Amino acid sequence: MTRRNMAHVVRAPEEIVIYFSLPIMFVLVFGYVFGSGMSVPDGGDYREYLLPGVFVMTMLYGLGATATGVAVDVSRGVVDRFRSIDMARSALLVGRSGADLLRALLEMATLVVCGLLVGWRWREGVLDALAAVGLILLLRFALTWVGIYFGLVVPNPDTVAVVVFPVAFPLTALSNVFVAPDLMPHWLGTVAAWNPLSATVAASRELFGNPGTGGDSWVAQHPLPLAVAWPVLLIAVFAPLAVRRYQRLSR
C-alpha cells in the first residue's frame, strides 16, 4: 500500500511542484522583501529565523494532500474494494501514513537545499540537525493522521480545501513561524506560544542553532518536550478516530 501511494506521487509530479511553490515563495518574500524590516528577539539573521518555520509550515499544509488522497479513494470505491479482499484492515491507513512520511522526507530534503541556497545554515552539529528534522517529521506523521481522518469524514474530495484551509491558515498565522510571540499582544502571544506548530518550530530552531523566539515563559524555555508531546497527543486523538471512521465506512 505504501508503494501504491508513492507511485501516485511519481505519476503526478505537478502536485509536488504546487506544494513546494508556496513555502519557497514565503522564503523569498519574507526573507528578502520584508526580512530587513523584521526583528528577531535574540538578534541574528531573519532568514535563519524563518527557515525552520517554513519547514514546519510545509509539513502542516501537506495534510491537505493526505486528506485529498484518502477522500479520492473513498469516493471512487477504492477503499471498499480493498476491504473486500484478503488483506489486513490496517494496511490502507498504515500504507498511507508510510507513503506520506516518505514524501515528507523528500520535501524536507528539497527545502533544506533551498534553504542553503538562500543563506540558511545550521549552526550546531549534524546529530542536532538530524534531531531537528526528526521532530519535524514526527509532527508531519501526526498531521498525517489528522489528514486521514479529514479525508474519511468529508463528503467528497472537492470539500477537502474547505475543511483544511480554515484549520491550517490560523495555525500558521497564530504561531512563531513568521513573528516571535513576544512581539505580539500578550493574549495573542500566549496563544501563539502554545500552538503545536510553535513547539516544533522553537525546538528545531534550538537544535539547528538558529535565532530563537526568546521569552522567559515555561513554554519558551521547554520547546523540546512540547515538540514531542504535541505530536504524540495528536496521534493519540486522531489515529483512533481515523480507524473508527474507517471501520464504519461499510456499515
Side-chain angles (χ1 to χ4, degrees), residues 78-185:
V78 175
V79 173
D80 291 335
R81 290 197 294 272
F82 282 139
R83 287 168 62 91
S84 66
I85 64 177
D86 185 17
M87 61 180 288
R89 290 295 182 90
S90 61
L92 185 63
L93 301 186
V94 174
R96 166 59 63 177
S97 62
D100 284 356
L101 192 59
L102 290 174
R103 175 174 174 164
L105 185 59
L106 176 62
E107 292 174 348
M108 273 298 304
T110 304
L111 287 174
V112 166
V113 172
C114 292
L116 293 174
L117 292 176
V118 300
W120 170 80
R121 297 291 184 272
W122 69 78
R123 304 298 179 180
E124 302 296 336
V126 175
L127 292 180
D128 286 343
L130 291 176
V133 172
L135 288 177
I136 295 172
L137 293 178
L138 175 63
L139 178 65
R140 178 66 179 96
F141 183 72
L143 292 172
T144 294
W145 286 102
V146 179
I148 290 174
Y149 178 70
F150 283 173
L152 292 172
V153 299
V154 295
N156 58 72
D158 295 333
T159 60
V160 169
V162 178
V163 176
V164 171
F165 185 76
V167 173
F169 179 75
L171 280 175
T172 304
L174 298 178
S175 71
N176 62 2
V177 170
F178 301 117
V179 180
D182 285 355
L183 301 178
M184 303 177 184

